[in-house]
Amino acid sequence: MARSHRTAERDQQHDPRIDTYIRKAQPFAKPILERIRRAVHAGCPGIVETIKWGMPAFEYKGPLVGMAGFKAHCALSFWKASLMTSIPTDLGTDAFGEFGRLESLDDTPSEAQLVKMVKEAAALNEAGIKPKREPRPPKKPLRTPAYMRAAIKKNKQAQATFEAFSPSARRDYIEWVTEAKTDATRDKRLDTAVQWMSEGKIRNWKYVR
């Protein structure tokens, strides 16, 4: 039996990677993620689904909104939230996104509320309105701790990579290692850093497309 036109149209609009993401999510997270996804499509029929930084993302004339499911909560974030008036201002900020920790459907905005937000976000993208970003002063280069320099020096490939890095790429590794809470964590991060640098990788190489 041939599939209906509506089913075929849905398949074209839905990225199978997001189907898989939701299927593998924690049981509590599935209805939350499904509600958000339905609302996104209802609010913006021209939406394009994708995966960014390992999480479901939705685009329409630019980035629009993203969602994520973690072990104990879900998160939702609108790209231009700072310009939107339909997002409540009394929500928690103890998690990624503007809605705090979404641990159940009761924590999650209703589908109608979400559709309203999506429509506003899509209208902003349609109009080409961008949030104002304050220029940030350049950060001062960080000094590489002696123990870190010694560890990198033992691996010629890692040393060559580190020396060729831009100041910001060096900073990423230095901050990651030095901000460890314990010596054990610091040593583990340092070993990983040396290994990644020996492979020519920046600190956040996993998120580079």
Side-chain angles (χ1 to χ4, degrees):
M1 183 176 179
R3 296 185 306 171
S4 68
H5 175 72
R6 180 174 296 179
T7 300
E9 186 178 63
R10 175 196 177 281
D11 290 345
Q12 290 178 352
Q13 292 179 328
H14 284 60
D15 190 319
R17 294 175 297 173
I18 296 183
D19 293 331
T20 301
Y21 185 96
I22 295 176
R23 187 170 62 251
K24 292 182 177 180
Q26 297 292 329
F28 82 90
K30 292 179 181 179
I32 298 174
L33 299 175
E34 288 169 350
R35 173 184 287 182
I36 295 171
R37 192 185 197 185
R38 284 195 306 271
V40 169
H41 282 275
C44 183
I47 204 75
V48 175
E49 295 190 345
T50 187
I51 293 287
K52 284 192 173 182
W53 304 292
M55 298 177 287
F58 305 90
E59 299 181 341
Y60 174 73
K61 298 184 183 299
L64 192 84
V65 62
M67 66 181 186
F70 302 105
K71 288 184 178 181
H73 74 280
C74 291
L76 172 65
S77 179
F78 281 89
W79 191 258
K80 295 181 178 176
S82 62
L83 300 176
M84 296 173 62
T85 60
S86 57
I87 296 179
T89 58
D90 59 346
L91 300 173
T93 57
D94 56 345
F96 146 75
E98 298 81 40
F99 299 84
R101 297 171 63 89
L102 304 178
E103 299 177 356
S104 69
L105 284 175
D106 290 338
D107 297 330
T108 309
S110 69
E111 197 161 332
Q113 290 172 319
L114 289 169
V115 168
K116 183 179 179 180
M117 297 174 202
V118 170
K119 286 183 176 179
E120 182 183 9
L124 289 170
N125 280 9
E126 186 83 45
I129 300 174
K130 297 181 180 180
K132 294 181 179 179
R133 301 190 184 278
E134 296 295 331
R136 295 180 180 179
K139 294 181 178 180
K140 295 180 180 179
L142 286 181
R143 293 185 62 181
T144 308
Y147 66 84
M148 189 171 177
R149 287 200 308 270
I152 295 173
K153 192 174 181 180
K154 291 178 181 178
N155 187 308
K156 292 183 178 181
Q157 290 177 314
Q159 184 179 16
T161 297
F162 188 72
E163 290 177 351
F165 273 156
S166 66
S168 61
R170 289 189 185 187
R171 174 183 290 274
D172 286 342
Y173 269 117
I174 294 171
E175 288 181 341
W176 186 51
V177 171
T178 58
E179 290 176 359
K181 302 291 186 183
T182 66
D183 290 345
T185 300
R186 185 198 68 187
D187 293 343
K188 183 177 180 180
R189 287 184 181 181
L190 182 54
D191 289 343
T192 301
V194 171
Q195 178 61 40
W196 284 351
M197 283 187 278
S198 72
E199 298 169 3
K201 295 176 178 177
I202 60 172
R203 159 75 180 92
N204 293 310
W205 62 271
K206 293 181 180 179
Y207 305 112
V208 177
R209 296 184 67 180

